[in-house]
Amino acid sequence: MVAHNRLGDLIDSQVIWHLYQSAMAFVNKANNQILNDYVETIRLKLIKRIVLDPQEIFSEAHADLEKLDSEGERFAILSHALHKISQNFEKQKELTFEKASQFSNNPDLQKLLAHLKRECADDLKDFVQPTPGA
C-alpha cells in the first residue's frame, strides 16, 4: 500500500492504483474459478456424482481458461506502464526532492497516463470520478 501511495504521489495520479485494483480483482476471480469450479467438477466426476466424459470436462475447462487468458491480457498494459515509468524516473539526472516532486510534469509520463486512461477506460470507469462541470 505504501508503494502505491508513493507512486501515486510521484506521478500525481491514482490511475496505476486503480488499474492494479482491477487487475487484482480479475486475478482473484479467475483464481477462484480455477481452484473451485474445475477442482469441484473433477471431484464430482471421481466420486461418480456427475456423468461427464473426461474429454468434455477438459474441453469446457480449456475453453474457459483460454477466455480467462484472453481477458487477462488487457492488464499487460499496466505492466508495460510501470516499466516505462521506472525507465523515465531512472533517466532523471542528479535527482533531488525538488526534481522528484516535478516528475509528474514529465511530458512522457503525461502521455503515458493519457494512454492508460484511454486504453483502460472500462477498467477505470468505476474509479475515476468525472470532473465537476464536465
Side-chain angles (χ1 to χ4, degrees):
M1 187 78 170
V2 171
H4 287 289
N5 284 335
R6 287 181 181 159
L7 180 60
D9 288 346
L10 182 67
I11 66 174
D12 194 28
S13 173
Q14 292 302 313
V15 169
I16 299 292
W17 171 246
H18 297 315
L19 287 175
Y20 173 80
Q21 292 289 76
S22 289
M24 290 301 99
F26 171 79
V27 166
N28 189 42
K29 178 183 166 223
N31 193 48
N32 283 335
Q33 181 178 345
I34 292 165
L35 292 177
N36 297 326
D37 296 352
Y38 305 134
V39 171
E40 182 65 9
T41 301
I42 293 168
R43 185 186 74 75
L44 291 172
K45 171 66 177 161
L46 291 174
I47 64 171
K48 302 193 186 314
R49 291 247 176 120
I50 58 173
V51 181
L52 286 174
D53 176 47
Q55 185 58 43
E56 185 180 349
I57 294 171
F58 173 78
S59 294
E60 287 183 28
H62 186 264
D64 288 345
L65 292 170
E66 288 279 333
K67 184 179 176 196
L68 283 174
D69 183 55
S70 180
E71 289 174 12
E73 286 179 6
R74 74 183 193 265
F75 295 110
I77 194 169
L78 175 60
S79 180
H80 177 73
L82 288 168
H83 180 71
K84 292 302 252 179
I85 290 170
S86 66
Q87 281 183 322
N88 282 335
F89 193 67
E90 288 172 2
K91 288 179 185 176
Q92 305 299 309
K93 302 290 184 210
E94 300 175 20
L95 192 61
T96 64
F97 285 116
E98 184 178 336
K99 285 184 180 180
S101 69
Q102 296 300 313
F103 182 71
S104 63
N105 299 326
N106 179 304
D108 291 334
L109 175 65
Q110 292 302 316
K111 286 179 195 173
L112 179 63
L113 292 175
H115 177 71
L116 278 174
K117 289 176 185 176
R118 207 172 35 256
E119 293 297 316
C120 302
D122 286 344
D123 288 304
L124 293 170
K125 71 179 182 282
D126 294 330
F127 295 105
V128 179
Q129 301 299 318
T131 306

